[in-house]
Amino acid sequence: MKALLLVSELEDYTISFASGVAQHLDVVLAVPRRRYAHLASSIDPAVDLHLLDWPRHRSLSNPWFLFQLTRLIRQEQPNLIHLLSNSTLWLNLAVPFWRPIPLVTTVHDVQIHPGDSDTRTLPVWAPELMVKQSAHLVVHGEGLKRLILDRYSKSPDCVHVLSHPSILRYAELARRQKMEPRETDGTIRVLLFGRIFAYKGLEHLVRAEAMLKDVLPNLRITVAGRGDNPLIFQPLMGDPSRYDIRNRFIEDAEVAQLFLDTDIVVLPYTEASQSGVLNLAAAFGKPVIVTDVGELRDTVQPNGLGLVVPPGDAKELAAAIRTLADNGGLRGIFGDNALEWAKGPNSPERVGAQAAAVYREVVGSC
């Protein structure tokens, strides 16, 4: 069987997913050259990688691109096409020309996150139309499946649950480059990583830090990633000198060093579906504190990855940070569980095997 995977963004997810599926069947991965060329070495050699001159949404060259993409699909003759995100515009116009090849689309977020300016650049109808045109959908949890079934006219048999695979490439980079964590000096380092938009809950982390000003003087907070300016919350900070703010794109080696150095990864999200950051933290064996939104609780609790607190509750978040800060043994247990989960049940190869089974089911039903 041959699957052709298409996606224009989501590099970390795509690399893990495609590399995992390629352990079980033939995979053709078609992605934008501008986003993936420098990452080619991170993709498993078993993947047949096609770097395309994929235009941006506003480009007038999109019709020509769709013609070339459709020609590639006809040349490859895949048994199935899997669109790894429904956050697209122009591909909607090409779908009718790909029939009768079955189309599967992954829906990462059933609803747009508050403050997510990246996704809001698309017209609302574009991702909706792709979902409606896809005979089969993939989501990252049973709760998201229920949301999809409530929102769209899909049969439960046509909505499949595949977990977001662990993101291993940064940990592998750290090993290749023989990177070492910062020397232990009694400091407790907490990391909030990723796109800093409203739903990431930075305000609640800042309020939690202020509550811990006197009881946890050795606490340090790193906020790393592009997006909203974290300094808007400076008036709420207990001690601004305890913060390391990196409000920009973070290069791969710096990402690896950040996760090596941290003691706790926090995901104080006010709204979410799932999280790539969680899957990155697990690959480094780091304990997490997450809020009870989306699929986070159902991922963290059964696998013993960390603590869960209510969303928007700075007091509970502060208590969880102090619990892990004061208990190195508990941090170690959660970290060991995370690493075992990342390399075992949630490894790209295991998730890839589940995806291959879904593909066979989809093709067999057509």
Side-chain angles (χ1 to χ4, degrees):
M1 175 179 287
K2 179 191 289 188
L4 189 143
L5 312 185
L6 285 172
V7 67
S8 60
E9 69 289 308
L10 297 175
E11 293 89 336
D12 288 336
Y13 169 77
T14 298
I15 289 169
S16 290
F17 184 82
S19 297
V21 176
Q23 308 308 306
H24 306 280
L25 47 80
D26 294 337
V27 169
V28 177
L29 176 63
V31 290
R33 186 186 312 277
R34 69 178 184 278
R35 299 188 72 132
Y36 281 83
H38 69 291
L39 297 171
S41 62
S42 298
I43 300 172
D44 193 285
V47 175
D48 182 7
L49 177 64
H50 289 253
L51 297 173
L52 308 180
D53 295 323
W54 195 312
R56 301 180 189 277
H57 293 310
R58 296 180 183 273
S59 173
L60 295 177
S61 63
N62 272 288
W64 174 244
F65 166 70
L66 296 182
F67 171 78
Q68 292 179 307
L69 177 59
T70 300
R71 185 169 62 181
L72 171 65
I73 290 172
R74 290 174 177 169
Q75 289 172 347
E76 292 292 338
Q77 297 183 327
N79 301 96
L80 173 143
I81 297 170
H82 187 174
L83 186 60
L84 299 186
S85 170
N86 66 316
S87 298
T88 184
L89 176 61
W90 287 91
L91 293 188
N92 280 291
L93 301 181
V95 168
F97 297 97
W98 301 343
R99 296 171 182 150
I101 303 171
L103 176 64
V104 178
T105 296
T106 293
V107 181
H108 295 273
D109 301 310
V110 181
Q111 299 174 329
I112 297 177
H113 302 310
D116 186 351
S117 57
D118 287 354
T119 304
R120 288 189 184 278
T121 59
L122 280 176
V124 174
W125 58 264
E128 296 269 329
L129 179 57
M130 186 55 72
V131 169
K132 292 174 181 177
Q133 291 198 90
S134 305
H136 290 261
L137 302 176
V138 167
V139 293
H140 296 312
E142 293 294 338
L144 295 175
K145 179 174 180 176
R146 289 192 292 271
L147 288 177
I148 283 283
L149 294 176
D150 288 342
R151 185 164 180 174
Y152 300 101
S153 298
K154 299 288 183 182
S155 164
D157 294 336
C158 295
V159 181
H160 311 273
V161 175
L162 293 174
S163 66
H164 187 310
S166 301
I167 298 173
L168 305 178
R169 72 182 188 89
Y170 298 98
E172 291 168 352
L173 172 65
R175 284 192 291 272
R176 287 197 308 271
Q177 296 191 1
K178 296 181 170 55
M179 300 169 69
E180 295 290 339
R182 187 192 300 258
E183 289 187 14
T184 302
D185 59 2
T187 301
I188 295 296
R189 303 185 186 279
V190 171
L191 174 64
L192 174 62
F193 177 80
R195 301 181 305 163
I196 310 302
F197 292 145
Y199 73 95
K200 290 299 182 74
L202 174 59
E203 177 182 352
H204 307 297
L205 175 60
V206 170
R207 292 184 184 278
E209 177 272 328
M211 295 176 187
L212 296 168
K213 179 181 178 182
D214 298 324
V215 298
L216 205 59
N218 59 336
L219 178 67
R220 297 294 180 272
I221 307 283
T222 299
V223 181
R226 64 180 181 83
D228 301 336
N229 184 2
L231 292 178
I232 63 174
F233 296 118
Q234 187 166 351
L236 301 177
M237 295 177 181
D239 181 357
S241 68
R242 302 209 289 184
Y243 287 80
D244 176 5
I245 305 293
R246 309 186 193 187
N247 188 208
R248 52 179 168 78
F249 176 78
I250 311 296
E251 298 289 348
D252 289 358
E254 187 178 1
V255 172
Q257 194 64 57
L258 281 170
F259 279 85
L260 281 174
D261 290 344
T262 198
D263 298 293
I264 305 165
V265 177
V266 293
L267 293 81
Y269 302 167
T270 58
E271 195 274 342
S273 300
Q274 34 64 45
S275 173
V277 176
L278 173 60
N279 290 282
L280 201 169
F284 282 88
K286 299 297 178 177
V288 297
I289 300 172
V290 306
T291 48
D292 186 10
V293 294
E295 299 296 327
L296 297 186
R297 172 188 287 276
D298 288 343
T299 302
V300 169
Q301 279 194 336
N303 297 293
L305 310 181
L307 301 178
V308 182
V309 299
D313 192 329
K315 184 176 180 180
E316 288 293 329
L317 179 58
I321 291 173
R322 186 173 184 185
T323 295
L324 289 186
D326 290 342
N327 195 330
L330 184 59
R331 295 200 306 273
I333 291 170
F334 286 148
D336 290 344
N337 291 343
L339 196 58
E340 181 180 353
W341 177 72
K343 293 184 174 181
N346 205 54
S347 67
E349 184 174 0
R350 290 273 197 95
V351 176
Q354 295 163 11
V358 168
Y359 293 169
R360 294 187 179 98
E361 178 183 340
V362 169
V363 172
S365 67
C366 296

